[in-house]
Amino acid sequence: MNSTGDSTTDTSLPARLYSEIDVTTETAAELGLTATEYREILTILGRKPTYTELGIYSVMWSEHCSYKNSILQLKTLPRSGGRLLVEAGEENAGLVDIGGGYAICFKIESHNHPSAVEPFEGAATGVGGILRDIFTMGARPIAALNSLRFGELTTQRAKYLLKGVVSGIGHYGNCFGVPTVGGEIYFDDCYTDNPLVNAMAVGIVKTDATASATAKGAGNPVMILGSSTGRDGIHGASLLASREFDEKTADMRPTVQVGDPFSEKLLLEATLELIASGCIVGMQDMGAAGICCSTSEMSAKGGAGMFIELDLVPLREQGMSAYEIMLSESQERMLAVVEKGKEHIAQAICNKWDVPITQIGRVTDDGMIQIHYQGRQVVELPAETLVLGGGAPVYERESTEPGYFADVRRTDLSEWNLQGEENEQWFWRLLTSPTIASKRWAFEQYDSQVRTNTVSISGDAAVMRIKELPGKGLAVTTDCNSRYAYLDPYRGGMMAVAEAARNVVCVGAEPVAITNCLNFGNPYDPEVYFQFKEAIRGMGDMCRALNTPVTGGNVSFHNESQRHAIFPTPTIGMLGLIDDLDRVCGCGFRNEGDVILMLGVQRNDIGGSEFVKLVSGKITGDAPVFDINQEVRLQKATLHGIRNGLIHSAHDCSEGGLAICLAEKAITSPYSLGADIDFPFSLDSANLFGETQSRIVVTVAPEAAELLYSVCAASDVACVEIGTVCTDTFTVGGLLSTSVEELKSMYFGALEQRLAQI
Amino acid sequence: MKFGVITFPGSNCDHDALWAASHVGTSQTLWHKDEAIPSDVECVIIPGGFSYGDYLRCGAVARFSPIMKDVFRFAERGGTIIGICNGFQILTEAGLLPGVLLRNDTMSFVCKDVYLKTENCNTTFTNSIKPDSVLRVPIAHGEGNYYAEAETIARLEAENRIIFRYAAPDGIVSRRANPNGSINNIAGIINERGNILGMMPHPERYSDARLGCDDGLSVFASIARALQQAVFR
C-alpha cells in the first residue's frame, strides 16, 4: 500500500482479515500453486488472500484433493448403475447394494510418497486413512487388502522399504482389528526410488444407516473428535505428494504423519455408535489437508458455510499458527456436524469410548468458510471455490504417444523362445523369482482372521462370509500387471480390470464393482499423460463389458525420481458377490484322478512376461493380445461351472504362464496333490511361460469333463485337456519331474532367502 | 450357561469370542469400566486384541481396569476364566497365572495355523477333547513367547498344568513346531486351582465349520459341559 502504481493495491487485504505473512506470487509458488492459479485466486476473492487462505487453496487445489489433472479422464469411466448406491466421487467411498438391507463400502488409496520417505509410518497411516474413509460412512471395516510395488530385492533400499511397509501395514491393521486378507507384491527396477503402497478397505453397513460427508442446518455445532492436532503432516498432500523424488526428499520426512491404531479403534467404535444414535447430520474423516479439507468439502456438499474458532481445537503442540492448525494432517480425527440439541448424546458416546470431542464452530448458511484465531479473522472464503466440481481448476493436459513404444515393440523376442529341456532351469528360476514366489513372509505378519469372517485367503481372491446374511459371501482382490500397462496402457488398463474379475470368478463370485488406485508419473509430461488417458480408456471399456462400475478411488501422480517414472500402475480393487458359500472354489488340486483342463486360447505371447524379464533383463515386447469378448465369455463359463459344482478347482493363468499356474495348483493343494501334465502343444518358452490372457486352469471329475466341454462349447470358449491330478509328484512330460514337497520348499522359501541375503 | 466377554479399549477379538461362545451357551459383553460381573455370568472370557494399544507391556494397563477388581474376586470364588492371546497376557500381568509372554523369537508378528497337543484332558477347559487328538487353531501375536523361571516351569510340568503345547500336525512336540520360542512349546497353562486358563492360540477363530475348521469349539464346549455338570452336582 505504500508503493505507488503497485498492482497489488487494488487487491490489498481488508482490515478485518489478518495475514501472518504478506502473500505474493512467490509465496504462492512456494506452496505449489502456479502463477495462473494464483491469479485465479485473486480474481475469485477480488483481493489478496491471507497466508492461511493461500495455504488452504494450495492444498485444496493440489492434485491430491482436487483431481484437477485427472477428473476429465475419470469422468469417462462408468461410475453408476449396477448395484451402486452412491455415484463415484459423491462420498468418501463407494457403496454397493448386496441385498438383504446391507451394502458394502469399499475403496483403495495410495500412500506412495510418505512410504518412500518413511516406510513404516507411511504404510501404517495409509491403512489408517482408508479405514477412516470406510467407517466415516457408518460401515464397519471387515477386510483390508493392499497392493505393493518395490525395486528389485538386490538393493538394500528395496529390502528396507519392503520390511518397513509390511511391518507398518501389519502394525496398523492388526491393532485396529481388521483382517488383512489379500494383496500383491511386484518387484521392478522402476519402483526403486518410488515404491507404491496402495491400501484398500472393505466395510459393511445397513443401507438405511449410512452417514454422509455434508454440513447442513445453520446453527448446528461443528465438532472435532479423536486425536489432538499437531504439526505432523503439514503439506503432505500439496508438496510431498505432488512432486517427484530428488535429493531433497529425505528432508520432507516431517511431512509424514504418525499413526496410532489404538486411537483409531476407539474412534471407529465411537463413530459407529454416534451414527447409530441419530445425532449426526454429517461426518468426514480428516486425512489429507486436515481441517481445511473437511470443513470446505462438507460445506460445499451441503451448500452451507462454517464459522470455526481455531482456539477451540485441542492441540498437542504449543505455538501453532492458524495456518498450521488448518493444514495439519494429524491422524485419527473426524469432523462431525451434530444436530443442535443433541450435543449431549454425542458427548456421552465419546466419553464412553474415551474419545475427546470438542465443538469448534457452527454451520452457517452463507456458504463461507470463516476461521477465527486468537481474536482475529484469518480466513473468509467461499467454500464452493475450493472444491472439485466447484472452483477448483480443471485441466486437460497435453498428451503424446511415448517414444519408447517403438523401441519395445520392435524387440525381437524369438531368440528368447527357448525349446524343450532348456526350459527346465527357467521353470525353477520363475517359481523362485520374488514377483512369483510365495509372499508368505509378508502375509503371515498380517492378522488375516480377526472378526471370524475369513473363509479362505489361499485362492485367487479372498473369500469372506457375511455374518449378517447367512450363506452369502464376498470375494475381494487387488490386481494390476503394470508391465502390460507400460507396454500398452490401453490394453494394460483392460487387463488389470479383467484379471481382477477373473480372480474373483475363480473363487466362485460374480464381479460387481471396482475401486481403482491410479499410480502414474508427472502428468505435466505429455508421455505420462498419454499413458494415463489410455489406461483409463482401457479400464472403462473393460468395466462396461463386465458391468462392474467404478465406485471411486484415488489418483497418485508424480511417482517418479530423477531417473525415470514408474510403470503406469492402475491398481484395481475388485468386489465379487457369492450367493452360496457352499459353492465356492479353491485354487489347488482337490481330488486325485481329476482331469485338468485349460479354458481359453493358447497363443505365442511372451511380451512383457516375467520370463522375458528374467531371461533378457528387460520388460520388453508388446503387451499380450487381449479380446474383451473372449474374456467375458471365459468368465461366464467358468462361473457357471463353479456354481453348478462341476469345477473342483480354478486358477487363472498370470505371471509365469501355464507352467507356473499348474505348479501353484499343486503347491496350494490342501492335500499336497500333484499332476501329470501332457501338453498338446510344443514345450517352448512361449507355451510354457507366456502370459497369454484369458486363460483359467480348472479341474473336474473325469465323468464331468464332457459336461464342462459342452458348457464351454455353448459359450464359445476353447477347452483343452492338459493332464491329470495325481498324488505327491509333479510331472510335465518331456520337461521336468519333481515332488510337490520340492515345489513347496522352493516356492515358500524364495522370498525369505532373498531377504536374508546381504 | 452364560459367558461374559470383557471389552477393554483396544480389545478386538471380543466380537469373535461372543460369537463362538454363543454356539454353546449365551454370551454378553462386560464393559471394562463396570465394577461388577453380573451374577449370572459363569465364565469370564478375556479376549484378544491390543488393550490400551499395548504400548506399554502387553496387558500391563488393562490389569488395572475397574472390572478387573471383580475379576480377582470372581477368580477367588473359583469362577471360570479363560484368557486368549491378549487375555493370556493380561492374566499373567494380573498375577492370576505365572510367567510372562515375551516378544516372539522371530521378532515379528505371526498369524498362521498351529497344531496343539492337549496334554491334560481332565480340566474344565479340555474335558470334551479326545486324548491324543491334535487341534488345529490359529495364532496371531507378536508377543507369545512364554517364559517363566525354571522352578515355575518344573512345577507346571509336574502338576500337569501345561494344557496345550505347539506340535506338528501328527502331535509330535518339536522345536520346529514352536512358532514363537515358548519354553517347552507352551501354548496354554492353567492355574493351580484349575479354574483359570491362559492360551495364546485363538480357539474362538476356529469355532465355526463355515470357516473351514471348528477344532477350537471343543474348548468352549468343555467349559459349558463342566459348568453344567457343576450345577447338577
Side-chain angles (χ1 to χ4, degrees):
Chain A
M1 272 177 276
N2 49 7
S3 59
T4 51
D6 190 326
S7 65
T8 60
T9 317
D10 53 351
T11 63
S12 62
L13 204 60
R16 68 177 184 280
L17 293 174
Y18 169 75
S19 182
E20 51 200 287
I21 295 171
D22 186 40
V23 170
T24 64
T25 314
E26 288 72 46
T27 334
E30 280 165 25
L31 298 187
L33 288 160
T34 65
T36 321
E37 286 166 349
Y38 181 59
R39 277 196 300 277
E40 179 64 25
I41 293 170
L42 294 180
T43 310
I44 288 172
L45 297 178
R47 61 168 168 85
K48 257 190 198 190
T50 68
Y51 184 58
T52 307
E53 289 174 336
L54 185 73
I56 295 175
Y57 274 110
S58 79
V59 291
M60 293 307 295
W61 286 11
S62 71
E63 178 63 37
H64 194 91
C65 295
S66 75
Y67 295 86
K68 61 187 170 190
N69 292 312
S70 54
I71 188 65
L72 289 177
Q73 308 306 326
L74 296 176
K75 283 191 169 167
T76 67
L77 292 167
R79 295 174 303 147
S80 58
R83 293 167 169 270
L84 257 55
L85 292 174
V86 174
E87 197 166 311
E90 289 289 299
E91 291 289 351
N92 281 306
L95 268 184
V96 176
D97 190 355
I98 56 167
Y102 285 89
I104 293 296
C105 178
F106 74 119
K107 190 182 181 186
I108 189 166
E109 218 168 60
S110 66
H111 232 213
N112 306 334
H113 291 76
S115 304
V117 178
E118 166 47 54
F120 181 89
E121 292 297 347
T125 52
V127 174
I130 196 65
L131 288 169
R132 277 196 303 284
D133 273 338
I134 299 302
F135 71 74
T136 192
M137 292 183 65
R140 179 175 283 281
I142 54 168
L145 296 92
N146 54 70
S147 174
L148 313 176
R149 303 284 182 289
F150 299 95
E152 300 292 350
L153 279 181
T154 46
T155 69
Q156 284 306 318
R157 176 171 167 81
K159 289 182 195 175
Y160 157 74
L161 291 176
L162 173 66
K163 287 177 181 171
V165 164
V166 166
S167 128
I169 290 172
H171 165 70
Y172 208 100
N174 297 348
C175 180
F176 177 82
V178 65
T180 301
V181 298
E184 49 168 14
I185 311 181
Y186 281 81
F187 301 92
D188 275 307
D189 184 47
C190 66
Y191 301 109
T192 302
D193 295 321
N194 192 139
L196 299 187
V197 176
N198 295 176
M200 172 168 158
V202 183
I204 187 163
V205 60
K206 278 192 177 156
T207 44
D208 59 0
T210 59
S212 177
T214 188
K216 280 182 186 155
N220 277 334
V222 175
M223 307 186 98
I224 191 167
L225 54 147
S227 298
S228 52
T229 300
R231 286 194 172 90
D232 46 331
I234 292 172
H235 276 302
S238 53
L239 293 186
L240 179 59
S242 303
R243 65 200 286 280
E244 288 74 52
F245 284 88
D246 54 31
E247 66 280 353
K248 287 188 190 145
T249 307
D251 299 340
M252 301 198 72
R253 193 159 294 169
T255 64
V256 178
Q257 316 84 334
V258 176
D260 175 4
F262 171 59
S263 295
E264 178 117 324
K265 165 72 174 164
L266 300 182
L267 191 59
L268 159 76
E269 300 299 343
T271 299
L272 295 186
E273 267 194 50
L274 284 170
I275 294 169
S277 77
C279 71
I280 298 293
V281 175
M283 203 166 200
Q284 180 162 343
D285 77 299
M286 279 186 261
I291 298 178
C292 66
C293 186
S294 51
T295 52
S296 49
E297 288 187 354
M298 288 179 76
S299 297
K301 187 172 170 72
M306 279 188 195
F307 179 91
I308 304 286
E309 290 177 85
L310 292 183
D311 306 83
L312 300 174
V313 175
L315 301 178
R316 67 173 75 142
E317 291 178 68
Q318 289 187 333
M320 285 180 72
S321 66
Y323 177 96
E324 290 172 322
I325 299 170
M326 289 300 287
L327 268 65
S328 162
E329 295 188 1
S330 288
Q331 299 289 291
E332 292 91 25
R333 298 180 300 162
M334 291 275 189
L335 195 74
V337 172
V338 174
E339 197 180 318
K340 194 169 174 55
K342 293 190 175 170
E343 294 91 333
H344 65 285
I345 300 175
Q347 192 76 54
I349 291 169
C350 288
N351 285 352
K352 174 186 168 188
W353 289 102
D354 298 318
V355 168
I357 179 168
T358 315
Q359 180 171 352
I360 61 166
R362 61 176 196 275
V363 177
T364 60
D365 55 9
D366 59 3
M368 300 295 287
I369 302 290
Q370 311 228 35
I371 312 278
H372 289 251
Y373 189 46
Q374 294 175 339
R376 292 183 285 220
Q377 181 161 13
V378 290
V379 173
E380 184 185 67
L381 297 176
E384 190 66 20
T385 68
L386 294 166
V387 301
L388 167 68
V394 174
Y395 303 126
E396 169 79 47
R397 302 243 76 94
E398 193 190 330
S399 76
T400 10
E401 183 173 297
Y404 70 82
F405 278 9
D407 296 335
V408 292
R409 288 174 191 172
R410 225 180 2 243
T411 316
D412 178 13
L413 297 174
S414 59
E415 65 169 309
W416 302 118
N417 194 7
L418 312 174
Q419 303 300 314
E421 286 170 17
E422 269 187 289
N423 285 306
E424 182 178 0
Q425 60 146 325
W426 292 105
F427 169 81
W428 292 107
R429 293 273 298 272
L430 280 165
L431 190 68
T432 54
S433 89
T435 291
I436 288 177
S438 168
K439 310 299 184 296
R440 184 173 72 180
W441 169 85
F443 68 71
E444 278 190 358
Q445 294 185 52
Y446 309 142
D447 187 334
S448 54
Q449 296 168 313
V450 61
R451 301 202 63 76
T452 54
N453 295 317
T454 311
V455 174
S456 162
I457 59 165
S458 62
D460 287 13
V463 177
M464 311 293 296
R465 62 109 166 257
I466 305 171
K467 281 200 188 96
E468 292 82 351
L469 301 171
K472 294 197 186 301
L474 300 178
V476 280
T477 182
T478 54
D479 280 291
C480 177
N481 184 317
S482 61
R483 298 160 181 180
Y484 308 157
Y486 164 73
L487 299 175
D488 187 323
Y490 172 66
R491 268 184 279 155
M494 285 197 286
M495 288 186 270
V497 175
E499 185 183 351
R502 210 184 302 134
N503 284 337
V504 157
V505 162
C506 281
V507 299
E510 181 194 355
V512 290
I514 72 161
T515 173
N516 58 46
C517 191
L518 306 170
N519 308 273
F520 288 80
N522 182 350
Y524 295 83
D525 175 342
E527 296 197 347
V528 167
Y529 206 68
F530 180 91
Q531 295 173 332
F532 181 69
K533 277 177 80 166
E534 284 292 286
I536 289 190
R537 191 166 67 87
M539 287 166 48
D541 284 352
M542 195 70 230
C543 284
R544 276 182 287 271
L546 290 168
N547 193 22
T548 53
V550 179
T551 62
N554 150 260
V555 176
S556 171
F557 280 135
H558 304 280
N559 289 292
E560 54 185 271
S561 65
Q562 286 155 309
R563 295 196 298 148
H564 46 62
I566 58 158
F567 290 162
T569 315
T571 309
I572 305 300
M574 176 70 73
L575 176 73
L577 290 189
I578 297 166
D579 272 346
D580 179 2
L581 274 173
D582 291 328
R583 287 286 163 88
V584 293
C585 189
C587 163
F589 295 129
R590 288 200 72 84
N591 304 306
E592 189 187 348
D594 273 1
V595 177
I596 305 170
L597 302 164
M598 184 186 79
L599 312 189
V601 178
Q602 181 79 356
R603 289 195 189 88
N604 182 347
D605 245 350
I606 53 173
S609 64
E610 178 75 10
F611 169 72
V612 166
K613 177 186 159 177
L614 290 190
V615 77
S616 76
K618 287 188 285 249
I619 301 296
T620 191
D622 198 357
V625 171
F626 188 76
D627 177 337
I628 287 191
N629 295 325
Q630 208 175 333
E631 177 72 38
V632 173
R633 291 197 303 269
L634 170 80
Q635 293 190 13
K636 288 212 165 119
T638 308
L639 191 57
H640 180 84
I642 293 172
R643 287 190 166 170
N644 287 294
L646 272 180
I647 292 176
H648 290 161
S649 75
H651 185 26
D652 99 302
C653 228
S654 57
E655 289 79 23
L658 193 51
I660 295 298
C661 169
L662 287 161
E664 287 170 347
K665 287 182 76 73
I667 290 163
T668 55
S669 165
Y671 315 109
S672 285
L673 294 171
D676 201 348
I677 303 298
D678 185 12
F679 286 129
F681 33 72
S682 69
L683 293 177
D684 59 31
S685 309
N687 277 329
L688 290 166
F689 311 130
E691 297 174 14
T692 300
Q693 293 298 292
S694 309
R695 291 181 299 165
I696 294 175
V697 176
V698 304
T699 54
V700 296
E703 61 275 15
E706 278 310 316
L707 203 48
L708 190 64
Y709 275 118
S710 57
V711 167
C712 287
S715 321
D716 192 16
V717 170
C719 175
V720 58
E721 182 175 337
I722 54 174
T724 320
V725 177
C726 64
T727 53
D728 306 332
T729 56
F730 183 78
T731 310
V732 179
L735 183 72
L736 86 156
S737 182
T738 185
S739 68
V740 176
E741 273 316 302
E742 178 67 7
L743 287 178
K744 281 187 180 175
S745 121
M746 298 296 275
Y747 180 77
F748 285 115
L751 191 58
E752 271 162 84
Q753 275 176 24
R754 294 282 174 130
L755 286 170
Q757 281 162 14
I758 298 163
Chain B
M1 67 149 295
K2 192 175 214 175
F3 292 85
V5 179
I6 302 180
T7 299
F8 294 105
S11 295
N12 61 31
C13 303
D14 45 346
H15 295 87
D16 304 343
L18 289 166
W19 177 263
S22 68
H23 293 318
V24 296
T26 57
S27 59
Q28 75 161 86
T29 298
L30 306 178
W31 184 239
H32 68 103
K33 290 180 186 173
D34 289 346
E35 292 186 351
I37 298 165
S39 57
D40 58 343
V41 167
E42 294 173 74
C43 173
V44 169
I45 302 178
I46 309 183
F50 290 70
S51 54
Y52 294 90
D54 279 346
Y55 289 129
L56 202 56
R57 279 189 326 274
C58 299
V61 180
R63 158 236 192 295
F64 294 105
S65 284
I67 191 76
M68 286 302 286
K69 289 200 190 88
D70 207 33
V71 171
F72 287 114
R73 288 189 290 263
F74 185 80
E76 191 62 42
R77 286 199 302 270
T80 304
I81 301 173
I82 169 170
I84 300 165
C85 197
N86 193 225
F88 186 11
Q89 295 162 341
I90 293 168
L91 288 171
T92 60
E93 284 290 337
L96 290 172
L97 287 172
V100 289
L101 283 311
L102 303 175
R103 189 89 198 270
N104 295 347
D105 62 353
T106 57
M107 298 306 282
S108 55
F109 185 97
V110 59
C111 174
K112 64 176 184 183
D113 285 3
V114 295
Y115 294 88
L116 298 180
K117 184 180 182 204
T118 312
E119 297 282 20
N120 182 348
C121 293
N122 201 14
T123 73
T124 301
F125 308 94
T126 53
N127 59 65
S128 298
I129 299 171
K130 282 191 213 98
D132 301 325
S133 67
V134 177
L135 305 183
R136 178 161 69 100
V137 181
I139 52 168
H141 59 244
E143 281 89 10
N145 178 355
Y146 185 81
Y147 175 83
E149 290 160 2
E151 292 160 40
T152 308
I153 298 289
R155 262 194 77 187
L156 288 171
E157 293 280 7
E159 293 169 5
N160 214 3
R161 285 164 52 197
I162 297 168
I163 302 303
F164 297 116
R165 277 188 230 267
Y166 300 110
D170 58 7
I172 306 285
V173 175
S174 68
R175 200 185 163 81
R176 249 192 98 182
N178 187 336
N180 53 27
S182 291
I183 290 182
N184 295 2
N185 284 39
I186 291 174
I189 57 170
I190 53 170
N191 63 340
E192 232 177 304
R193 195 166 161 186
N195 62 325
I196 304 176
L197 168 74
M199 63 189 296
M200 287 313 294
H202 287 271
E204 81 284 12
R205 291 191 178 186
Y206 280 171
S207 288
D208 190 337
R210 178 59 85 191
L211 303 184
C213 181
D214 63 358
D215 287 3
L217 193 59
S218 56
V219 173
F220 300 98
S222 296
I223 296 170
R225 187 173 163 197
L227 294 181
Q228 271 149 14
Q229 283 171 354
V231 170
F232 291 123
R233 218 178 286 149

